[in-house]
């Protein structure tokens, strides 16, 4: 596959528009348990299948990785669509409007195109590598907040399922450190929203101790193209292989990385991204 990612922006915009229409017009339907306190709705599957079908029609040579049904198509190691049909399913099921469609395009381990649609908030974010980030037709940029004391920082959801107690002890320890240093800590329940709002400057940073490509690929390229620093726990450049996902406004990046590094020094080895 040799197509320029920029040439595929209309395809991605069309696909998330289809998904957004479905989410606004349908109820969640039957819920399927995915584990302890984790679920997928009937609509998650319906949206994923509709978007897969549209992408298969428009880009048959590009495989699709979806949260609910894995990879379809033959992946040749070049380009791969990464889709979360409803990011924030728990929010959606409970009637909270903080939910989005996340569609990213990966080249190897690096996201090169991303579109995030927030169907209940009337916002659609998109970016392609080296071409800036946009909300609709408006170019967006990360905040210019100058220090952590003035920063609003979002954190990823706490864990559920096997090992949740140990994982949440780590997340709570990090939350405690953040709460002592930043203006406010927020948990919005959607990685797509966290990353899009860092890109738009509504949040100054987001920190998630996880990195699923369907959750993060689109938002990472949008945040990066908006000028945010997007890194792993060790401060290295974020990729699909990273252990965690941190996006932060550039003038706050040094302080936030210092805080994360101080937490990593006392965290168990498996939590350090090593």
């Amino acid at each position: 596959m040799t197509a320029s990612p920029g040439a595929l922006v209309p395809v991605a915009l069309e696909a998330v528009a289809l998904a957004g229409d479905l989410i606004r017009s349908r109820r969640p339907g039957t819920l399927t348990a995915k584990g302890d306190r984790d679920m997928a709705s009937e609509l998650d599957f319906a949206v994923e299948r509709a978007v897969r079908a549209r992408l298969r029609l428009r880009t048959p040579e590009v495989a699709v990785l979806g949260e609910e049904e894995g990879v379809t198509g033959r992946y040749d190691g070049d380009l791969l669509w990464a889709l979360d049909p409803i990011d924030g399913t728990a929010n959606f099921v409970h009637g909270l409007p903080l939910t989005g469609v996340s569609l990213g395009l990966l080249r190897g381990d690096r996201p090169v195109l991303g579109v995030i649609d927030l169907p209940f908030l009337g916002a659609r974010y998109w970016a392609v590598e080296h071409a800036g980030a946009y909300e609709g037709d408006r170019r967006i940029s990360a905040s210019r907040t100058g220090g952590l004391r003035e920063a609003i920082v979002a954190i990823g959801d706490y864990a559920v399922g096997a090992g949740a107690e140990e994982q949440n002890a780590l997340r709570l320890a990090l939350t405690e450190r953040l709460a002592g240093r930043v203006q406010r800590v927020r948990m919005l329940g959607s990685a797509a929203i966290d990353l899009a709002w860092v890109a738009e400057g509504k949040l100054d940073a987001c920190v998630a101790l996880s990195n699923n490509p369907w959750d993060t690929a689109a938002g990472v390229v949008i945040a990066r193209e908006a000028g945010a620093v997007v890194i792993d726990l060790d401060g290295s450049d974020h990729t699909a292989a990273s252990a965690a996902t941190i996006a932060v406004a550039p003038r706050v990046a040094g302080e936030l990385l210092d805080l994360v590094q101080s937490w990593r020094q006392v965290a168990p080895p498996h939590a350090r991204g090593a």
Side-chain angles (χ1 to χ4, degrees), residues 99-116:
T99 188
V101 182
S102 179
L103 179 63
L105 183 70
L106 291 159
R107 171 161 277 151
D109 281 340
R110 187 173 180 84
V112 293
L113 181 160
V115 180
I116 291 171

Side-chain angles (χ1 to χ4, degrees), residues 7 24 27 54-55 69 87 92 130 144 159 166 172 245 268:
R24 283 189 296 270
R27 298 185 62 81
R54 183 61 57 89
L55 294 174
E69 297 186 335
D87 187 50
F92 176 58
H130 308 311
R144 296 184 56 80
E166 181 180 12
L172 286 164
T245 307

Side-chain angles (χ1 to χ4, degrees), residues 70-89:
V71 175
T72 55
R74 186 169 62 188
Y75 178 46
D76 63 6
D78 184 17
L79 294 181
L80 176 71
W81 292 112
L83 169 67
D84 191 338
I86 303 180
D87 187 50
T89 297

Side-chain angles (χ1 to χ4, degrees), residues 16-17 19-25 85-87 92 97-101 116-124 193:
V16 299
D21 287 344
L22 288 172
I23 292 169
R24 283 189 296 270
S25 63
I86 303 180
D87 187 50
F92 176 58
L98 298 179
T99 188
V101 182
I116 291 171
D117 185 78
L118 309 183
F120 300 117
L121 300 181
R124 184 173 298 154
I193 291 178

